[in-house]
Amino acid sequence: MNETLPRAAIRAAKTNLVWLALPLIALAIAVAWILSADPLSGFRNGAPPVENLTFERTVLDDSGLRLFVRAGGSEPMTVAQVQVDDAYWQFTQDPPGPIARGKAAWLSLPFPWMLGEAHALKVVTNTGATFAHDIAVAVPTPQATAGQLRLQALVGIIVGIVPVAVGLMFYPLLRGVGQAGMAFLLSLTIGLLAFLLIDASAEALELASQAAAIFQGPVMVVLAGLGSFLLLMAIGRRGGVPTGLALSTYIALGIGLHNLGEGLAIGAAFAAGSAGLGTFLVLGFALHNVTEGIGIAAPILKQRPSLWVFVGLTLLAGGPAVIGMWLGSLATSAQWSALALAIGAGAILQVIVEVSAYLMRQSGKRIEVLLTPPVMSGLVAGVAFMYVTAAVVKI
């Protein structure tokens, strides 16, 4: 009897293995037949293959200009000519040869670009297809020098770390608020996070539209945001519902991921010469982010964290802006900025859910608390402040 059961289990496992292998073998045979017999050849009418080329990065330096392009056509494509301002220029390609679907290459031209001028480029393939790209303002692309990294870090600190630190400095004052004041602050946090969620999602979709078609930009944004939300919800609820310092940490993490995406976008704009960030604009970014520190402080008003906790929360929320500035100006593309913003949007949505749940628990009520005057006024104040200050930094 005891020997019969293992034998039956072994036979069942072998049967399941066979049924698993059969469809896979049939699929492999079908694919091999399609590749060898080419049954679609009768539909070809002599037209050239579909070609697509995405310009992911433009580098301007003393040697001329370089273009980082990605192919997205149905077949490998060959770059035959490159035109700048209606004139053809010699170019080198790295790696050389046809560019396969989804692969990328650098095109280098000894073109004497003019500082502050606009230049129009066209890439011509061997089939005659043309792909245009405009340089709105020609400026030298930032290089990874110590001085340049320090300057970008300074801007990142001003727009990311300083505002969060200033917001957290209101902590001693905010500790004296009553129940209505706490409800106002928590709803203020939800309001500013709701604005960041909408803003990050819109920016991610806009950047995704500029990425190569192979990345399926809008789908990538939705999946990354949803995955980030579900993952953080699972992690956050693993030890119970997050409250206090744990909730503040999740708020700081969500804001930090958003600031990473913002830093990528600002850094890329710097590299493209399209973000002349003057003093007024930098201060506008800083003012826009001050309420983030207040939002982080709200869940820990009934605790007495150490100074190092505040330092850690500040770096978690604001530090990614510095990293984003570096990556954005030196080595990022539209799809990676979109991905970072999408992950940040998912993290912010998770925080909105948790702060809303925390607010309802604190008040001892359920959904009705969201309709009380302190909560409604906090939501409006948070969204309104972020909207007004965002108008200063939009360019």
Side-chain angles (χ1 to χ4, degrees):
M1 181 69 178
N2 293 334
E3 296 180 358
T4 304
L5 287 177
R7 290 178 180 176
I10 292 173
R11 283 197 301 269
K14 290 181 178 179
T15 302
N16 291 334
L17 185 60
V18 170
W19 286 116
L20 174 64
L22 280 177
L24 296 178
I25 293 172
L27 177 62
I29 293 173
V31 171
W33 176 78
I34 291 174
L35 293 176
S36 60
D38 195 11
L40 301 179
S41 59
F43 292 97
R44 298 196 182 103
N45 56 7
V50 177
E51 294 181 331
N52 189 21
L53 192 71
T54 303
F55 297 84
E56 292 194 356
R57 190 166 177 80
T58 303
V59 175
L60 302 177
D61 53 28
D62 294 337
S63 64
L65 67 86
R66 291 186 294 145
L67 304 171
F68 189 66
V69 297
R70 189 177 300 275
S74 58
E75 296 180 10
M77 58 188 299
T78 301
V79 176
Q81 295 174 317
V82 179
Q83 186 184 92
V84 184
D85 295 339
D86 298 324
Y88 290 101
W89 287 81
Q90 291 185 340
F91 71 95
T92 58
Q93 178 181 321
D94 183 28
I99 309 175
R101 171 180 168 81
K103 299 298 183 180
W106 282 99
L107 306 178
S108 302
L109 296 80
F111 175 72
W113 54 273
M114 300 295 294
L115 181 64
E117 296 290 329
H119 298 289
L121 295 85
K122 285 185 180 179
V123 172
V124 184
T125 69
N126 62 342
T127 65
T130 61
F131 301 92
H133 176 65
D134 292 327
I135 300 176
V137 182
V139 296
T141 302
Q143 303 297 319
T145 62
Q148 188 65 234
L149 293 177
R150 281 196 299 268
L151 177 61
Q152 293 172 358
L154 177 61
V155 175
I157 290 171
I158 293 174
V159 302
I161 295 178
V162 171
V164 174
V166 171
L168 285 171
M169 288 180 181
F170 287 99
Y171 172 82
L173 176 65
L174 299 176
R175 281 180 56 83
V177 301
Q179 184 174 352
M182 175 66 76
F184 175 84
L185 290 175
L186 290 173
S187 59
L188 178 77
T189 303
I190 296 172
L192 70 91
L193 289 173
F195 180 90
L196 291 179
L197 173 62
I198 297 171
D199 184 60
S201 300
E203 287 191 39
L205 290 172
E206 181 181 355
L207 287 168
S209 66
Q210 304 171 15
I214 193 172
F215 292 105
Q216 306 170 72
V219 178
M220 177 188 70
V221 167
V222 173
L223 292 179
L226 182 61
S228 171
F229 168 73
L230 294 176
L231 177 62
L232 289 175
M233 283 295 295
I235 294 174
R237 295 294 179 98
R238 183 179 56 183
V241 179
T243 60
L245 181 57
L247 186 56
S248 290
T249 302
Y250 280 113
I251 295 175
L253 176 62
I255 291 173
L257 289 173
H258 174 267
N259 284 337
L260 173 65
E262 287 286 350
L264 286 169
I266 296 172
F270 261 129
S274 60
L277 287 181
T279 302
F280 179 74
L281 204 54
V282 170
L283 291 177
F285 269 107
L287 179 63
H288 179 65
N289 293 338
V290 164
T291 51
E292 295 175 351
I294 297 176
I296 294 170
I300 53 175
L301 293 180
K302 295 183 179 181
Q303 302 177 8
R304 289 185 176 275
S306 67
L307 177 62
W308 292 111
V309 170
F310 288 102
V311 172
L313 291 173
T314 301
L315 293 177
L316 180 60
V322 177
I323 300 173
M325 284 287 298
W326 286 339
L327 295 177
S329 63
L330 298 174
T332 192
S333 298
Q335 64 268 15
W336 308 129
S337 296
L339 181 63
L341 284 167
I343 293 173
I348 291 170
L349 179 59
Q350 179 258 348
V351 175
I352 291 176
V353 171
E354 296 293 12
V355 175
S356 300
Y358 181 72
L359 173 62
M360 289 186 284
R361 290 195 305 272
Q362 288 292 106
S363 64
K365 301 178 182 179
R366 294 188 179 275
I367 193 69
E368 295 83 5
V369 71
L370 300 178
L371 301 177
T372 59
V375 173
M376 293 297 291
S377 58
L379 288 171
V380 172
V383 173
F385 181 85
M386 297 297 282
Y387 180 84
V388 171
T389 54
V392 178
V393 301
K394 292 298 180 182
I395 53 175

